[in-house]
Every structure is written in C-alpha cells, then in structure tokens.
Amino acid sequence: MPNPLLDAVKFDEKGLVCAIAQDAKTLRVLMVAWMNAEALQKTAETGYAHYYSRSRQKQWMKGEESGHTQKVHELRLDCDGDAVIMLIDQAGGIACHTGRESCFYRVWRDGEWQIVDAVLKDEQEIYGHTHG
C-alpha cells in the first residue's frame, strides 16, 4: 500500500535518511541525526522528533532520557529526497547531549576548533553519566 510520507524519501543502503533539527524561531541548526522509516513515521504521527541511533542500533525519541524533547512544527524534504529538516521547539533549550543549546558549538577560528557556546546544564546532571 502506498505511503505518501515514506515513498518520497530516498533512504540510504542502511535504511536511513539525514535529519536536521532547526529551531523554529531562531532558525539555528541544533542537531543532525538519522531517521529510519519507523522514526520518520513516528515523528509525523506524534509531532515529536524520533531518530535512529546508529551506535545503539535502535530507534529513540529525542528527550526520552533528558526531557529535552523536540516538538515538530514542520517537516521538509529536500529536492533529492535524501534529507529531512524539522522546524522544532526545543524543550529546555538544550539539544546537545553535552548540555549545550546546539551540537554545533565549535567554530574554526585562528587555525583551531574553538568552543563558542557555554554548557547550559552539565551532562552528568542531565543523564546521571557522561557519554564518553
């Protein structure tokens, strides 16, 4: 049976598509992750971002451990069908597992990667452990 949501998406050989979470108000890119068909379907059905963890080999909802959920306002698919962008509201203002607003907290400057965003909440405090 046709699935209009999934049929237009070109999942890679591992069944994944690149997913970008962007703040709906500021338009700052907060994180990039991967979705399988199930994660994309759940995202569309629930209105909250779901992803597929390549390292843990499982689907997960953003914020299931941290409480930092992502409410999806809009899903967009690029012209090639191989990338999804979500305009989201980030609960708690923290998207990165390091406790920062965005995973893109390093800037190439003066010949090195410099950290430009402060930690808003310690990773140990969020998860009870660090992600090594």
Side-chain angles (χ1 to χ4, degrees):
M1 184 158 80
N3 183 324
L5 173 70
L6 302 178
D7 292 346
V9 178
K10 291 181 185 165
F11 294 96
D12 70 11
E13 66 282 350
K14 295 178 182 165
L16 303 174
V17 66
C18 178
I20 301 157
Q22 187 174 17
D23 187 280
K25 293 179 189 79
T26 68
L27 300 182
R28 182 174 186 190
V29 174
L30 300 178
M31 61 179 275
V32 175
W34 297 93
M35 289 182 164
N36 60 9
E38 182 182 357
L40 182 55
Q41 187 74 48
K42 279 232 181 239
T43 297
E45 288 172 1
T46 67
Y48 285 89
H50 288 72
Y51 299 102
Y52 182 80
S53 170
R54 295 177 300 170
S55 61
R56 293 179 288 159
Q57 297 287 298
K58 71 171 201 153
Q59 186 204 306
W60 58 285
M61 184 181 108
K62 176 66 176 167
E64 67 186 17
E65 287 184 45
S66 66
H68 300 143
T69 57
Q70 295 175 337
K71 173 75 176 139
V72 178
H73 290 275
E74 187 172 85
L75 274 173
R76 288 181 176 240
L77 184 63
D78 81 331
C79 58
D80 294 324
D82 61 3
V84 172
I85 252 190
M86 296 173 292
L87 295 179
I88 59 113
D89 280 338
Q90 179 64 60
I94 298 172
C96 186
H97 76 274
T98 65
R100 293 176 174 88
E101 175 188 20
S102 171
C103 294
F104 296 93
Y105 58 86
R106 295 179 280 192
V107 174
W108 182 255
R109 190 181 292 152
D110 301 324
E112 65 182 358
W113 289 108
Q114 296 183 19
I115 295 173
V116 296
D117 292 356
V119 172
L120 302 176
K121 191 172 184 180
D122 183 78
E123 189 177 351
Q124 182 76 31
E125 190 180 338
I126 296 170
Y127 299 102
H129 60 87
T130 56
H131 286 83

